Amino acid sequence: MSGHSSKPTVGALPDAVADSPLAPVALTKLVWALFAASVAVLFARVRLGGAWEVPGVVAVDGLTVLLWVVVTFFSGIVHSYSRRYMAGSRHETSFFATVFGFTVAVMGLVAADHVALFWLLWLTMGLAMAKLIGIIDGWNQAQAAASVARRYFLASSAFLGVALAALWWATGATTVSGIAASADGLGGPVWLLACAALVLAAMIQSALVPFHGWLLSSMTAPTPASALMHAGFVNAGGILLLRFAPVVTLDATLMLGIVAVGATSALLGKLLKNVQSDVKSELGCSTIGQMGFMIMQAGLGFFGAAITHLILHGFYKAYHFLSAGAAVEHTAPTDHGAHETGVAGAVVVLATGLAGGALFAALTGKGTHLDSGLLLVTFVVLTTLHAARNVVAHASLPTTVRYGAVPLVFLPAITVYALAYEAVSSLLSGLPVVEAPAELTALHALVAGVFLVVYAAIELGVHERSHRLYVALLNASQPASSTVLTATEDYNEY
């Protein structure tokens, strides 16, 4: 019997020695103070514009202040939630100190301009997350999961180090802004090495296929740490690509490759989710798929859309992780194999999607020209429609009413998405590259066509007819064996 995600609540340790509650209280108040300060800085940035910097060290631009607000908000929620979740645990103070340290590292990362500082904070962020995954020092499976994650994060940091060293060698610049300013002169093997290393670092950090193993092995992390991981940590890949957008957008073939990488993870994440039997693993596979959509948006040249996606996904996933216990408590077994989308239902979904696409295009101006904006609109519609259908599916509604309810949820949702996208793009307007839409080619059409066919097949449940595929997906979504509990007598040990 496998139980890697069935570990009891950490805060319920029967023999735990409680630490002083002073540190958790103080850190919770401090992180909310950082959130308030970040909001104030954001408003000041909107009013005054420009970038505030310590030359050669840090640069506070639109992306920095936006992510400061988002990161401190999520961290504040996690701190507040953990006050009760971790109460009585002997790891309480260590947990809070690590979560707060992780928050500070991310805040520093998004402001860092010197490449050495950027790399050091990237490494620190990964090591802090690995510690949270294995926060319970007496739980062997948790330590194994932390070790798995640490190896992945060290590999990501190594790739980033190679990329930064190559870009320094090619440009002579020691800052991210300096590299961006010199990007037009890049090319050749050194540039190709830097781009490959950047993409690999982003893929590992965002748990894209085939580097998703660390995420699915991390279920030993306390639930609030998982929320922080899925709502914040995995977004680092998109942030990295935006910071180095002037480097990666130099070649259309490379950008198409990034789209293909994202499409693969989006589809496989959706497939892997369908064979999971527990809530946290389903959410983990969902994150793999959603990070794929984010990377696709970056590959299409719409970095503002990628940042918008990671922010909205962060809110969505943080809520679902922190309410996962309630989902288990209130959910009854259902027949997941039944696909009862009849002709009428399919027509409603298709019409709703087309209306949503037209609405998104009208609000953002994307998809109105023969460029990658058409694909952006398509992918935004798919992700938002899927989320809307999930919301409606969990409501106690008759089937006929459920299809009618989809537009009522979807159309407001895609409106919010479009307005958020416009606001984020406006805030990021001072960056070297926010949008670089590519002209559509036959290869773009091929990638998009294959994606849509496979996506439709998954929606119709075609993949469920193959037992061999089911087994392959189940094997591909297994965590590292050393992170899995196999003896029932161990379940209540911690």
Side-chain angles (χ1 to χ4, degrees):
M1 179 177 180
S2 173
H4 73 284
S5 60
S6 301
K7 205 64 181 175
T9 299
V10 176
L13 303 183
D15 58 349
V17 179
D19 279 329
S20 168
L22 295 180
V25 172
L27 292 176
T28 301
K29 291 181 178 180
L30 182 55
V31 78
W32 281 116
L34 286 175
F35 170 69
S38 297
V39 172
V41 173
L42 176 62
F43 278 112
R45 173 66 174 72
V46 170
R47 289 179 62 86
L48 301 177
W52 310 324
E53 59 183 334
V54 177
V57 183
V58 297
V60 179
D61 54 21
L63 177 65
T64 302
V65 295
L66 174 63
L67 293 179
W68 277 357
V69 171
V70 173
V71 168
T72 53
F73 177 77
F74 286 144
S75 182
I77 294 295
V78 168
H79 274 77
S80 298
Y81 181 94
S82 301
R83 289 279 304 282
R84 180 175 180 180
Y85 186 96
M86 296 296 295
S89 169
R90 63 177 178 230
H91 308 95
E92 183 180 12
T93 297
S94 176
F95 176 84
F96 274 86
T98 305
V99 170
F100 185 80
F102 171 83
T103 305
V104 172
V106 175
M107 292 181 71
L109 176 73
V110 297
D113 195 31
H114 197 284
V115 292
L117 179 61
F118 189 92
W119 180 85
L120 181 62
L121 291 169
W122 184 274
L123 173 65
T124 302
M125 178 180 65
L127 294 179
M129 184 52 65
K131 182 177 180 181
L132 287 173
I133 292 172
I135 195 73
I136 305 179
D137 51 18
W139 183 6
N140 291 335
Q141 287 77 14
Q143 295 307 302
S147 179
V148 169
R150 193 177 298 112
R151 288 196 298 271
Y152 276 90
F153 301 155
L154 288 174
S156 175
S157 297
F159 281 123
L160 179 59
V162 169
L164 295 177
L167 291 171
W168 166 75
W169 178 271
T171 65
T174 59
T175 61
V176 176
S177 57
I179 291 171
S182 305
D184 287 343
L186 291 172
V190 175
W191 166 82
L192 185 59
L193 173 65
C195 288
L198 281 173
V199 172
L200 287 170
M203 289 176 65
I204 293 172
Q205 214 79 354
S206 292
L208 267 63
V209 175
F211 305 113
H212 60 290
W214 72 263
L215 188 68
L216 298 182
S217 298
S218 67
M219 302 304 168
T220 57
T223 294
S226 292
L228 193 64
M229 182 194 310
H230 290 256
F233 180 81
V234 295
N235 296 327
I239 296 167
L240 180 64
L241 291 180
L242 174 56
R243 278 298 186 209
F244 291 92
V247 175
V248 298
T249 54
L250 291 176
D251 185 79
T253 303
L254 173 66
M255 293 292 283
L256 180 59
I258 294 174
V259 173
V261 164
T264 301
S265 280
L267 292 173
L268 287 179
K270 186 174 178 63
L271 281 168
L272 294 175
K273 180 184 176 182
N274 288 348
V275 300
Q276 302 309 306
S277 59
D278 62 271
V279 174
K280 288 185 74 173
S281 292
E282 281 191 3
L283 291 172
C285 292
S286 170
T287 294
I288 294 168
Q290 290 302 316
M291 290 302 99
F293 276 107
M294 179 192 70
I295 295 298
M296 287 171 72
Q297 292 173 339
L300 291 171
F302 295 98
F303 295 96
I307 297 300
T308 303
H309 187 91
L310 68 84
I311 292 172
L312 296 178
H313 171 261
F315 280 101
Y316 181 80
K317 200 53 62 74
Y319 167 77
H320 278 284
F321 261 100
L322 296 180
S323 61
V328 173
E329 180 180 354
H330 295 294
T331 300
T334 58
D335 181 7
H336 293 290
H339 290 268
E340 300 178 354
T341 304
V343 175
V347 169
V348 169
V349 170
L350 180 60
T352 301
L354 291 173
L359 179 59
F360 186 85
L363 291 172
T364 64
K366 303 301 178 292
T368 57
H369 300 90
L370 192 60
D371 60 18
S372 53
L374 286 171
L375 299 185
L376 172 68
V377 173
T378 300
F379 296 140
V380 168
V381 166
L382 287 178
T383 54
T384 312
L385 187 58
H386 178 74
R389 292 179 66 194
N390 277 346
V391 170
V392 173
H394 286 88
S396 300
L397 298 171
T399 301
T400 53
V401 176
R402 187 175 299 155
Y403 286 123
V406 170
L408 298 179
V409 176
F410 169 70
L411 294 177
I414 203 164
T415 300
V416 170
Y417 198 124
L419 296 177
Y421 173 38
E422 288 294 289
V424 168
S425 296
S426 175
L427 193 59
L428 301 182
S429 59
L431 298 182
V433 175
V434 178
E435 288 189 0
E439 292 295 327
L440 291 180
T441 66
L443 288 176
H444 282 93
L446 177 62
V447 171
V450 171
F451 180 89
L452 291 174
V453 168
V454 176
Y455 190 93
I458 296 172
E459 283 291 299
L460 294 172
V462 173
H463 62 287
E464 296 180 356
R465 301 172 188 173
S466 171
H467 296 295
R468 180 173 296 182
L469 178 59
Y470 175 87
V471 172
L473 291 171
L474 198 61
N475 289 336
S477 61
Q478 290 302 301
S481 58
S482 57
T483 69
V484 180
L485 280 170
T486 56
T488 55
E489 60 269 18
D490 292 338
Y491 274 55
N492 294 319
E493 184 177 352
Y494 299 101

